[in-house]
């Protein structure tokens, strides 16, 4: 598969940081983490990965801005381009040795995401998308699932962590959906949930209160696979609101109808 120079830059950066995360995962699995404890170790792994990504991306595209989960905003001379990066999405999974986590890199041009890469180093699954050029998993073209009966659909959600969000509301949402779908899932890495929707593994996904770095690459992945993604209102923007509902056009519409009033 021949990808653009831009995608090659993003993939190279994701793979290098991915090797680092995979080494760190090995440490966690073998319990050779420092005396300060695994949480501290993971936070170092996270920061190390972000610095690698920043170094590689800034070297390849000098001047682009950078928004990362760990380091916040780093302005660049080029005000039209911004990398939106989560060096470790699915931190809790990583900490527990659950191989469902990813590096997520989006590139925004004047506020619109034009390219995305999501890479899970644990299973070497690499998702890429570029505006107008489609979405791919390890070189295979992706297309969202075509199901049009909600009771045949597998839908994933995100749940707010301890001390965050509205737990009552997420229970109302799950109770409502549980009654209507073939299966509910909760995997714990937003970028991969969206990648799974793009790949047609999941028919839909929703989660509230995310950050731009959780969403940027996933949003273009879903769109380039022919899916629909919005905030909770159905016609608003996921990246701008931090809320996500996605699926094929039909599933997206059904999820909006059910979730919006809750
Ligand atoms: P993280 O692992 O990078 O924190 C789990 O529901 C998903 O939500 C993960 O993608 C996780 O990303 C993200 N997430 C969890 N807590 C969050 C918070 N307080 N703000 C933003 N994203 C969060
Ligand atoms: Ca994240």
């Amino acid at each position: 598969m021949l990808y653009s120079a831009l995608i090659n830059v993003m993939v190279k950066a994701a793979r290098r940081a991915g090797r680092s995360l995979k080494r760190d995962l090995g440490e966690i699995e073998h319990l050779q983490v420092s005396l300060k404890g695994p949480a501290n170790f993971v936070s170092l792994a996270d920061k190390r990965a972000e610095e690698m990504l920043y170094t590689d991306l800034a070297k390849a595209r000098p001047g682009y801005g950078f928004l990362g989960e760990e380091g916040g905003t780093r302005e660049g001379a080029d005000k039209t381009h911004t990398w939106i990066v989560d060096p470790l999405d699915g931190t809790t999974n990583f900490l527990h040795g659950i191989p469902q986590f990813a590096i997520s890199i989006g590139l925004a041009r004047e506020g619109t995401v034009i390219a995305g890469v999501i890479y899970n180093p644990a299973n070497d699954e690499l998702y890429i998308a570029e505006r107008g050029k489609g979405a791919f998993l390890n070189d295979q073209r992706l297309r969202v699932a075509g199901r049009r009966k909600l009771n045949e659909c597998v839908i994933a959600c995100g749940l707010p962590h301890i001390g965050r969000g509205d737990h009552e509301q997420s229970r109302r949402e799950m109770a409502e959906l549980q009654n209507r779908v073939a299966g509910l899932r909760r995997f714990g890495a937003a970028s991969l949930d969206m990648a799974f929707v793009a790949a047609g593994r999941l028919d839909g996904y929703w989660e509230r209160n995310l950050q731009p770095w959780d969403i940027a690459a996933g949003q273009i992945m879903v769109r380039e696979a022919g899916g629909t993604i919005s905030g909770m209102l159905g016609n608003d923007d996921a990246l701008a609101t931090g809320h996500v509902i996605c699926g094929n056009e039909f599933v997206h519409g059904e999820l909006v109808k059910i979730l919006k009033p809750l």
Side-chain angles (χ1 to χ4, degrees), residues 69 86 88-92 157-161 164 186 188-191 193 205 207 209-211 213-214:
E69 170 152 32
D86 194 340
L88 175 53
D89 184 36
T91 317
T92 307
C157 61
L159 301 176
H161 294 184
R164 302 248 185 193
R186 201 291 191 190
S191 61
D193 289 327
Y205 159 69
E207 180 159 6
N209 299 311
L210 293 168
Q211 299 290 335
W213 45 81
D214 301 316

Side-chain angles (χ1 to χ4, degrees), residues 1 3 126-128 133-142:
M1 203 55 214
Y3 295 114
L126 175 75
Y127 298 83
I128 71 162
K133 295 184 181 166
F136 300 82
L137 162 56
N138 294 347
D139 295 342
Q140 288 270 89
R141 182 85 186 232
L142 298 182

Side-chain angles (χ1 to χ4, degrees), residues 193-210:
D193 289 327
M194 285 176 269
F196 278 21
V197 169
R201 293 173 174 175
L202 288 170
D203 297 285
Y205 159 69
W206 88 94
E207 180 159 6
R208 294 178 189 263
N209 299 311
L210 293 168

Side-chain angles (χ1 to χ4, degrees), residues 58-105:
K59 192 171 168 198
R61 292 290 184 276
Y64 283 19
F66 187 97
L67 171 64
E69 170 152 32
E70 297 303 314
T73 305
R74 302 185 223 197
E75 301 265 344
D78 176 342
K79 303 296 177 200
T80 59
H81 291 93
T82 308
W83 300 111
I84 306 176
V85 172
D86 194 340
L88 175 53
D89 184 36
T91 317
T92 307
N93 286 342
F94 184 85
L95 178 61
H96 287 255
I98 298 170
Q100 182 76 358
F101 58 87
I103 289 159
S104 174
I105 307 173

